């Protein structure tokens, strides 16, 4: 085995220290064309995604879950990449494929894997030094080649990958109360919607926002200009958060009458629905028997066209600095009408639970 593996020694060396998430969707789909097909027994394992999952450290229940997806291999790679305890690296991927005698895959995919690794090293070299990810933020450039303004660096992705010169956008901003049990649902939602089946991008506060920024100013800019839609996690804990309440009012004001379907309410337990969402259809996750139908519905509306596009909104820095969390007073300029409504008191914000 050792002598046979020498053919891939260079590839293994290039893969050292490279996390699995360096492999983008195109390469993962290429791998799935080989591994999704039922393999043959090699030793005591099948040499398809089942054997790869076993070598990676997944148990029978995990593998059964992979089988339920359209591409078990893509779901395996996505889940593995989010399990640091299972050491998700490109090096281990190559080692496990060699152990399964899948040199055919490595031969055909070698050039693609090497290209992805080189691109990853180029764009995230500061992360590979295993230092504080924010200790050496790279020079950041906008589309015109000039340095990004301080106001434009408002997320972890902006700070870490800004050297590529891209302005980052997300499919949805997630509004929720992290102090309750809702955080577990949000993590599950991220795992599903950001997974290979839907491949969406969510901005999740406390995961993607930068510490030390003006929280409410940045939130307003993200919802208005950088996120196509807003997902609101409704629960018995939601109304306990004044921050979540403000974010919802602000987002709903950008979509008066729900014409653009910008706000997507998701109810995860039997709770009151805010009055400003009465005309909006709520996606119900309270019934176990219909949850499997709910995820495709949420993904479909996130992928549907949005009019107007969030990049057409223009919120000046001066306006954003006037945003106040206190909803008892409308201490903001009249130029941005949405903020006026966002800061209005709502005397009866929640209807009785149904």
């Amino acid at each position: 085995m050792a002598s046979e593996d020498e053919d891939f020694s260079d590839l293994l060396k290039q893969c050292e220290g490279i996390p699995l998430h360096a492999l983008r969707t195109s390469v993962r789909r290429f791998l799935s064309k080989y591994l999704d097909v039922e393999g043959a027994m090699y030793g005591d394992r099948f040499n398809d995604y089942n054997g790869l999952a076993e070598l990676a450290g997944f148990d029978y229940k995990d593998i059964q879950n992979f089988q339920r997806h359209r591409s078990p291999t893509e779901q395996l790679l996505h889940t593995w990449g989010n399990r640091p305890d299972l050491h998700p690296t490109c090096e281990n991927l190559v080692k496990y494929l060699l152990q399964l005698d899948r040199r055919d895959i490595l031969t055909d995919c070698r050039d693609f894997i090497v290209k992805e690794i080189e691109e990853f090293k180029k764009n995230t070299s500061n992360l590979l030094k295993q230092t504080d990810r924010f200790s050496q933020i790279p020079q950041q450039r906008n589309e015109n080649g000039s340095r990004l303004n301080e106001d434009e660096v408002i997320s972890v992705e902006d700070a870490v990958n800004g050297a590529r010169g891209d302005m980052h956008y997300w499919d949805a901003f997630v509004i929720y109360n992290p102090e309750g049990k809702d955080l577990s649902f949000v993590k599950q939602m991220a795992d599903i919607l950001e997974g290979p089946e839907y491949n969406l991008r969510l901005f999740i506060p406390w995961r993607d926002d930068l510490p030390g920024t003006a929280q409410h100013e940045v939130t307003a800019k993200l919802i208005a200009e950088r996120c196509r839609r807003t997902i609101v996690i409704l629960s018995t804990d939601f109304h306990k958060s004044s921050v979540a309440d403000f974010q919802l009012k602000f987002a709903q004001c950008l979509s008066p009458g729900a014409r653009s379907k910008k706000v997507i309410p998701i109810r995860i337990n039997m709770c009151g629905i805010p009055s400003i969402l009465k005309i909006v259809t709520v996606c119900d996750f309270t019934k176990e028997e219909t949850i499997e139908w709910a995820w495709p519905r949420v993904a479909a509306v996130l992928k549907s066209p949005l009019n107007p596009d969030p990049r057409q909104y223009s919120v000046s820095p001066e306006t954003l600095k006037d945003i106040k969390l206190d909803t008892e007073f409308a201490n903001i300029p009249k130029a941005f009408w949405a903020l006026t409504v966002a800061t209005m008191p709502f005397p009866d914000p929640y209807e009785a639970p149904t």
Side-chain angles (χ1 to χ4, degrees):
M1 175 71 72
S3 59
E4 295 177 3
D5 292 351
E6 289 179 0
D7 294 337
F8 298 98
S9 58
D10 289 341
L11 179 60
L12 282 167
K13 186 175 181 180
Q14 289 176 295
C15 289
E16 288 181 0
I18 305 299
L20 192 62
H21 66 72
L23 302 182
R24 291 179 290 188
T25 303
S26 57
V27 177
R28 293 169 184 245
R29 288 179 179 172
F30 198 91
L31 291 170
S32 69
K33 291 180 180 179
Y34 291 86
L35 293 168
D36 281 348
V37 180
E38 183 177 350
M41 285 294 295
Y42 186 77
D44 57 350
R45 296 184 178 89
F46 282 97
N47 63 355
D48 52 18
Y49 72 90
N50 289 280
L52 179 59
E54 288 182 25
L55 289 173
F58 291 101
D59 57 26
Y60 176 77
K61 184 178 179 180
D62 294 324
I63 296 175
Q64 288 290 101
N65 183 54
F66 298 151
Q67 292 175 351
R68 298 187 182 98
H69 290 79
R70 180 178 57 186
S71 173
T73 302
E74 288 188 53
Q75 187 61 35
L76 159 62
L77 295 174
H78 172 72
T79 305
W80 188 13
N82 291 321
R83 289 285 302 274
D85 57 310
L86 298 182
H87 309 292
T89 65
C90 293
E91 182 181 8
N92 280 336
L93 173 64
V94 173
K95 284 182 178 179
Y96 297 155
L97 289 175
L98 289 173
Q99 290 182 42
L100 294 171
D101 195 30
R102 294 310 303 263
R103 291 164 178 77
D104 57 325
I105 299 177
L106 294 175
T107 298
D108 292 345
C109 295
R110 181 200 291 263
D111 291 341
F112 298 107
I113 294 175
V114 171
K115 182 178 179 181
E116 292 289 278
I117 291 174
E118 290 176 348
E119 184 72 15
F120 178 81
K121 287 180 178 179
K122 176 182 176 182
N123 294 328
T124 61
S125 59
N126 61 313
L127 294 180
L128 301 180
K129 297 176 182 177
Q130 299 182 355
T131 59
D132 186 347
R133 60 169 25 177
F134 300 117
S135 61
Q136 296 179 356
I137 297 177
Q139 288 262 319
Q140 302 182 35
R141 306 282 172 178
N142 61 20
E143 295 178 355
N144 298 322
S146 59
R147 188 165 184 171
L148 292 176
N149 297 326
E150 182 180 353
D151 291 338
E152 294 175 319
V153 183
I154 57 179
S155 72
V156 171
E157 190 166 0
D158 289 334
V160 175
N161 297 324
R164 298 176 60 180
D166 300 328
M167 180 70 76
H168 302 286
Y169 294 89
W170 291 265
D171 293 296
F173 182 98
V174 181
I175 298 175
Y176 69 107
N177 182 4
E179 301 299 327
K181 298 180 180 180
D182 301 358
L183 181 59
S184 297
F185 178 85
V186 171
K187 289 182 177 180
Q188 178 191 16
M189 179 177 67
D191 190 57
I192 293 173
L193 295 183
E194 294 181 333
E197 185 170 359
Y198 300 114
N199 199 30
L200 293 163
R201 302 180 67 199
L202 305 179
F203 187 97
I204 302 176
W206 290 276
R207 184 193 73 171
D208 299 320
D209 49 352
L210 283 174
T213 56
Q215 181 184 15
H216 309 303
E217 176 184 339
V218 168
T219 293
K221 189 174 184 68
L222 283 163
I223 293 175
E225 299 182 358
R226 305 280 291 277
C227 298
R228 298 180 67 248
R229 287 185 168 86
T230 304
I231 296 175
V232 184
I233 308 301
L234 299 175
S235 70
T236 52
D237 289 313
F238 174 81
H239 69 278
K240 299 176 183 178
S241 171
S242 57
V243 174
D245 182 63
F246 166 79
Q247 292 171 347
L248 169 59
K249 292 174 183 176
F250 181 83
Q252 182 65 0
C253 290
L254 296 176
S255 178
R259 288 191 295 270
S260 66
K261 300 188 291 293
K262 185 174 177 68
V263 179
I264 305 169
I266 293 179
R267 182 162 66 172
I268 61 175
N269 56 43
M270 297 307 295
C271 63
I273 305 298
S275 296
I276 58 176
L277 292 178
K278 282 184 177 180
I279 62 174
V280 182
T281 301
V282 176
C283 194
D284 197 344
F285 276 75
T286 63
K287 300 177 182 178
E288 288 287 338
E289 60 272 19
T290 61
I291 287 180
E292 61 180 320
W293 295 343
W295 289 120
R297 294 176 63 209
V298 173
V301 72
L302 289 176
K303 292 183 177 182
S304 64
L306 177 64
N307 185 29
D309 189 280
R311 285 167 286 188
Q312 296 176 356
Y313 289 108
S314 179
V315 187
S316 68
E318 292 75 18
T319 299
L320 287 171
K321 290 178 181 178
D322 285 330
I323 296 175
K324 305 297 181 184
L325 178 61
D326 187 353
T327 58
E328 294 299 325
F329 303 97
N331 183 24
I332 53 176
K334 295 181 180 179
F336 193 44
W337 64 269
L339 292 181
T340 303
V341 184
T343 55
M344 287 173 56
F346 288 81
D348 181 23
Y350 299 95
E351 65 182 11
T354 56

